């Protein structure tokens, strides 16, 4: 689903007590106080804090984030409640989010200065994506959907315990309150869900009633005599399709097969979601020398049509930039998140046209001409580039170790899982002699090509691709002294000790594990073309590394619950869309990270952890469908024309 560019809010601060939305002719909150209204209408109106007490998690969906006062009031109430839920999920839709400087101005005199400052510190670029912000050690999660509410209610996936309806007045912004939006609330309501709003407009009450809510009036806040409260009481429950269902389990134990980027990232995400993980990795710990050169880059993607690949790449890169920058700063992981240049064969004017048409926030991606690119890179470049300000490079082995360092992760190295077997409500992992290694209700397959073997060789269009990198010592004569990583046809990464890594080859189906001189020459030729330093014949790599990537034919990762092949073969009523495919209980996959593992793994892991834990997904529904393991069967079903 293509998204419209984000237009920031225009805010009139002439009356500091009641900031005004210029484009809607309405105030963001009454003069009597934003927090007072939030506590009376939205918290008390939804029976909070009592309803979240002693629960594992509590999820709220809000229409109209505005200046964030409802979130701040909710977070403060949750913090002050000793019986609070273990986790709080707050999802909010906002078509016109405020610029960072306007948000700072709105909260300059906030009665919750610490919380407001924390929100401001994480305020994301105004890109049309679902942005994940976390607070209080990850126990509070804020998902911000920037875009139209009609898109938002279709793109957000979750089961919500409470709804805050806080758009501008129905007479001034009827789109926020129409039947389409209100009906979507019923589709996403958990049992015993509630809703509240300051509005008592007839169309709002009728829309909630039609969506399955029992609607009542209650005393309003300040000058408003009444407000609306509602309780979800449908005539029949609307069951989500198999690909959207939470698969609950009483135990919080999970087994992860694979200890690379995919395995370590999902283990960390599951632990953050409240699980204990055991990770099986058949590989030995890399040597210190190899680990130092296990380096990769991360950055976003810009395409003029802003299709699925570009939108997923942007969402993943924005998330990876935050998470990896934190690992570098907090865990001492070698790397840099100070920016990356991706060279382009298009003209600078063409890049500027694309940036303007997509309204890309410059902190995400900014076009730079050859002169500025050269200044940033520290070498003379003859082409313009995209500057990804939150891109960079990282030592992958150290990043994996940082993810694996969480207390509830147990790593078993040098152990190969030969087979899976379903035993009651658990999965058993077996070695090559059929002996039990371990069992648990949840298994995540994150072992690249091993995934297909363990599932039973499903017909997924994917293949192994060999890649070789080359490492040049700092004292190599004529070695370019790069200031930022460069990408394009290949990549070049300046490491902290002055050495340089370049690569990588891409050789489908090649299983040769040996470092090859011809591949070094290939990497050096591309390095010369990237940097403009045409001396590759005089350079001699000191070392190289060989690895394999699993790449899906559509160049997207494979993330989600594993389809039930037997049920699909028996003729499911409808599988033309991934979400309709039946699933195997407790079996999940995170793989096919291709050449973008560092950029994709952090977000992919959070999405999968949310699916397993039953939390709101930090990725839009359309993008989740695009990476769903069931997408391959769905495409075949559509081609056959046999969809129900």
């Amino acid at each position: 689903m293509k998204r419209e560019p984000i237009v920031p809010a225009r805010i009139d601060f002439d009356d500091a007590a009641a900031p005004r939305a210029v484009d809607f002719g309405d105030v963001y909150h009454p003069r009597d106080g934003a927090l007072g209204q939030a506590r009376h209408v939205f918290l008390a109106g939804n029976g909070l804090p009592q309803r979240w007490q002693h629960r594992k998690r509590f999820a709220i969906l809000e229409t109209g984030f505005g200046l964030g006062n409802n979130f701040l009031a909710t977070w403060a109430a949750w913090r002050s409640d000793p019986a609070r839920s273990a986790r709080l999920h707050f999802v909010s839709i906002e078509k016109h989010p405020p610029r960072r400087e306007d948000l700072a101005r709105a909260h300059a005199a906030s009665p919750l200065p610490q919380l407001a400052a924390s929100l401001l510190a994480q305020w994301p670029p105004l890109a049309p994506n679902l942005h994940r912000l976390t607070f209080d050690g990850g126990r509070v999660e804020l998902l911000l959907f920037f875009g139209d509410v009609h898109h938002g209610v279709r793109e957000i996936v979750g089961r919500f315990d409470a709804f805050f309806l806080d758009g501008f007045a129905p007479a001034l912004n009827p789109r926020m309150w129409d039947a389409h939006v209100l009906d979507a609330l019923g589709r996403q309501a958990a049992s015993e869900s509630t809703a509240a709003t300051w509005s008592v407009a007839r169309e709002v009450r009728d829309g909630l009633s039609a969506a399955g809510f029992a609607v009542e009036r209650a005393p309003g806040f300040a000058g408003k005599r009444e407000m609306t409260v509602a309780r979800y009481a449908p005539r029949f429950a609307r069951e989500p399709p198999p690909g959207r269902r939470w698969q609950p389990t009483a135990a919080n134990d999970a087994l992860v097969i694979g200890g690379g980027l995919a395995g370590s990232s999902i283990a960390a995400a599951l632990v953050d979601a409240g699980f204990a993980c055991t990770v099986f990795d058949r590989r030995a710990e890399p040597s210190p020398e190899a680990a130092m050169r296990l380096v990769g880059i991360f950055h976003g993607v810009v395409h003029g049509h802003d299709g699925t690949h570009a939108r997923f790449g942007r969402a993943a890169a924005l998330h990876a930039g935050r998470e990896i920058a934190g690992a570098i700063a907090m865990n001492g992981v070698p790397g840099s998140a100070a920016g990356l240049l991706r060279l382009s064969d298009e003209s600078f004017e063409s890049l500027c046209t694309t940036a303007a048409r997509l309204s890309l926030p410059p902190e995400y991606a900014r076009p730079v001409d050859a002169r500025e690119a050269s200044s940033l890179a520290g070498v003379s470049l003859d082409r313009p580039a995209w500057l990804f300000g939150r891109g960079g490079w990282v030592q992958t082995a150290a990043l994996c170790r940082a993810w694996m360092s969480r207390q509830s992760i147990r790593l078993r190295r040098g152990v190969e899982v030969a087979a899976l077997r379903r035993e009651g409500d658990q999965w058993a992992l077996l070695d090559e002699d059929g002996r039990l290694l371990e069992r648990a209700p949840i298994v995540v397959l994150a072992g690249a090509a091993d995934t297909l073997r363990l599932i039973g060789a499903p017909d997924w269009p994917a293949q192994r691709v060999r890649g070789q990198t080359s490492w040049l010592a700092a004292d190599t004569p004529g070695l370019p002294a790069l200031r930022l990583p460069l990408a394009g046809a290949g990549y070049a990464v300046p490491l902290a000790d002055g050495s340089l890594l370049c690569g990588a080859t891409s050789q489908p189906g090649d299983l040769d594990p040996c470092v090859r001189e011809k591949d070094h020459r290939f990497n050096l030729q591309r390095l010369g073309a990237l940097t403009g330093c045409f001396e590759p014949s005089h350079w001699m790599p000191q070392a190289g590394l060989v690895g394999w990537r699993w790449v899906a034919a559509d160049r997207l990762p494979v993330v989600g619950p594993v389809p039930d092949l037997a049920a699909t073969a028996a003729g499911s009523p409808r599988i033309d869309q991934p979400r309709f495919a039946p699933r195997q209980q407790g079996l999940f996959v995170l793989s096919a990270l291709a050449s973008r593992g560092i950029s994709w793994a952090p977000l992919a892991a959070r999405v999968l952890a949310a699916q397993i834990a039953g939390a709101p997904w930090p990725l839009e529904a359309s993008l989740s469908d695009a990476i769903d393991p069931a997408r391959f069967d769905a495409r075949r079903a559509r081609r056959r024309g046999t969809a129900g």
Side-chain angles (χ1 to χ4, degrees):
M1 180 186 297
K2 190 172 182 180
R3 296 279 302 280
E4 297 177 357
I6 298 302
V7 178
R10 294 195 301 156
I11 306 173
D12 179 358
F13 286 101
D14 285 349
D15 184 349
R20 193 172 189 83
V22 174
D23 294 315
F24 293 93
D26 201 359
V27 294
Y28 279 95
H29 56 77
R31 293 180 56 81
D32 299 277
L35 296 182
Q37 176 178 263
R39 290 163 181 150
H40 179 90
V41 175
F42 299 108
L43 288 168
N46 279 286
L48 300 174
Q50 293 81 8
R51 289 185 55 236
W52 65 39
Q53 290 178 349
H54 307 294
R55 294 183 55 170
K56 193 171 184 178
R57 64 185 73 252
F58 194 88
I60 297 168
L61 175 60
E62 176 186 55
T63 56
F65 186 76
L67 301 176
N69 287 296
N70 293 339
F71 167 69
L72 294 176
T74 303
W75 181 14
W78 179 88
R79 264 190 157 195
S80 63
D81 183 4
R84 61 183 174 263
S85 58
R87 283 170 176 79
L88 175 67
H89 302 274
F90 195 104
V91 184
S92 190
I93 301 170
E94 180 54 61
K95 184 175 184 179
H96 299 294
R99 293 182 175 88
R100 181 185 297 272
E101 56 269 27
D102 286 337
L103 190 66
R105 185 174 180 181
H107 293 288
S110 172
L112 300 171
Q114 181 185 358
L115 305 191
S118 296
L119 174 62
L120 185 64
Q122 291 196 50
W123 192 244
L126 304 189
N129 284 96
L130 190 57
H131 302 267
R132 179 176 183 266
L133 287 63
T134 61
F135 308 92
D136 281 347
R139 293 174 298 156
V140 174
E141 178 185 70
L142 171 62
L143 298 180
L144 289 170
F145 181 93
F146 290 161
D148 183 81
V149 68
H150 280 229
H151 294 161
V153 293
R154 291 200 301 270
E155 291 281 29
I156 289 170
V157 181
R159 306 297 278 179
F160 294 95
D161 303 292
F163 298 94
F164 294 3
L165 308 184
D166 195 23
F168 293 117
L172 300 173
N173 190 15
R175 189 172 175 83
M176 287 284 289
W177 306 88
D178 68 18
H180 172 89
V181 172
L182 298 177
D183 183 66
L185 306 187
R187 293 196 302 271
Q188 299 184 81
S191 60
E192 301 181 359
S193 180
T194 60
T197 177
W198 45 264
S199 175
V200 291
R202 181 62 180 268
E203 59 268 32
V204 175
R205 292 184 286 113
D206 288 350
L208 284 170
S209 180
F213 288 85
V215 180
E216 299 178 9
R217 295 174 184 257
F221 174 71
K224 288 188 176 291
R225 188 178 65 181
E226 293 180 312
M227 56 180 262
T228 298
V229 295
R231 176 178 50 85
Y232 190 54
R235 295 178 182 174
F236 61 91
R238 292 189 263 192
E239 187 70 19
R244 297 286 191 263
R245 291 176 195 161
W246 173 39
Q247 301 180 10
T249 174
N252 283 337
D253 297 318
L255 306 178
V256 176
I257 302 174
L261 281 167
S264 57
S265 63
I266 184 56
L270 283 171
V271 167
D272 290 348
F275 291 80
C277 285
T278 300
V279 179
F280 293 84
D281 192 354
R282 59 182 173 82
R283 302 169 303 174
E285 180 80 24
S287 68
E289 294 79 12
M292 182 183 72
R293 295 170 193 136
L294 278 170
V295 167
I297 58 175
F298 56 96
H299 61 88
V301 179
V302 177
H303 292 159
H305 56 81
D306 205 38
T308 299
H309 286 77
R311 291 190 296 115
F312 177 78
R314 181 170 60 238
L318 288 169
H319 184 93
R322 291 192 300 271
E323 188 157 334
I324 295 172
I328 292 170
M330 304 298 293
N331 299 97
V333 173
S336 170
L340 176 145
L341 288 165
R342 185 168 184 87
L343 304 183
S344 175
D345 292 328
E346 296 185 50
S347 68
F348 175 62
E349 291 74 21
S350 176
L351 300 188
C352 291
T353 298
T354 297
R357 185 174 69 253
L358 300 178
S359 294
L360 293 175
E363 58 266 53
Y364 168 66
R366 179 171 68 87
V368 294
D369 60 20
R371 181 177 179 181
E372 185 177 0
S374 299
S375 176
L376 291 167
V379 297
S380 180
L381 301 173
D382 61 358
R383 285 172 286 171
W386 288 105
L387 172 63
F388 291 95
R390 300 187 180 190
W393 68 273
V394 70
Q395 192 182 96
T396 54
L399 180 62
C400 291
R401 281 198 303 273
W403 281 333
M404 290 283 200
S405 66
R406 287 163 169 79
Q407 287 188 342
S408 296
I409 296 177
R410 182 166 61 106
L411 175 60
R412 296 184 62 179
R413 280 202 180 276
V415 179
E416 183 159 3
V417 178
L420 297 174
R421 184 172 65 211
R422 186 71 176 171
E423 296 180 350
D425 60 353
Q426 295 194 322
W427 288 96
L429 275 54
L430 309 176
D431 68 10
E432 59 183 4
D433 296 320
R435 292 178 301 222
L436 177 69
L437 292 170
E438 202 151 347
R439 61 167 61 92
I442 294 167
V443 170
V444 178
L445 305 173
D450 283 345
T451 296
L452 291 178
R453 174 179 60 82
L454 291 169
I455 292 175
D459 187 16
W460 295 352
Q463 62 180 331
R464 291 180 72 178
V465 178
R466 179 186 183 274
Q468 179 178 314
T469 58
S470 302
W471 178 77
L472 294 158
D475 58 0
T476 302
L479 189 70
L482 292 178
R483 295 176 186 152
L484 289 179
L486 294 181
Y491 60 86
V493 182
L495 304 182
D497 63 355
S499 63
L500 189 144
L501 186 92
C502 64
T505 61
S506 179
Q507 296 143 330
D510 189 337
L511 302 181
D512 183 4
C514 299
V515 175
R516 300 189 297 224
E517 185 179 345
K518 68 175 184 178
D519 291 341
H520 277 325
R521 289 198 300 270
F522 177 82
N523 286 336
L524 293 180
Q525 287 169 357
R526 294 212 297 186
L527 173 63
L530 268 177
T531 62
C533 300
F534 292 98
E535 301 182 49
S537 61
H538 303 297
W539 297 338
M540 180 59 66
Q542 301 297 304
L545 291 174
V546 173
W548 287 268
R549 305 180 290 269
W550 190 37
V551 182
D554 58 10
R555 304 285 170 169
L556 285 168
V558 179
V559 182
V562 173
D564 187 334
L565 300 180
T568 300
S572 299
R574 180 182 180 185
I575 60 167
D576 60 315
Q577 297 296 330
R579 61 186 177 274
F580 295 122
R583 307 300 169 123
Q584 297 193 55
Q585 184 77 15
L587 188 60
F588 302 83
V589 61
L590 195 167
S591 197
L593 297 180
S595 60
R596 296 187 177 273
I598 299 172
S599 298
W600 289 353
L603 177 60
R606 297 295 172 182
V607 173
L608 187 55
Q611 293 173 346
I612 294 171
W617 298 5
L619 186 68
E620 297 97 314
S622 58
L623 296 180
S624 298
D625 284 345
I627 63 175
D628 192 314
R631 68 188 189 263
F632 307 116
D633 289 325
R635 288 169 188 161
R636 282 189 284 267
R638 291 196 297 270
R639 285 196 296 268
R640 290 194 304 265
T642 58

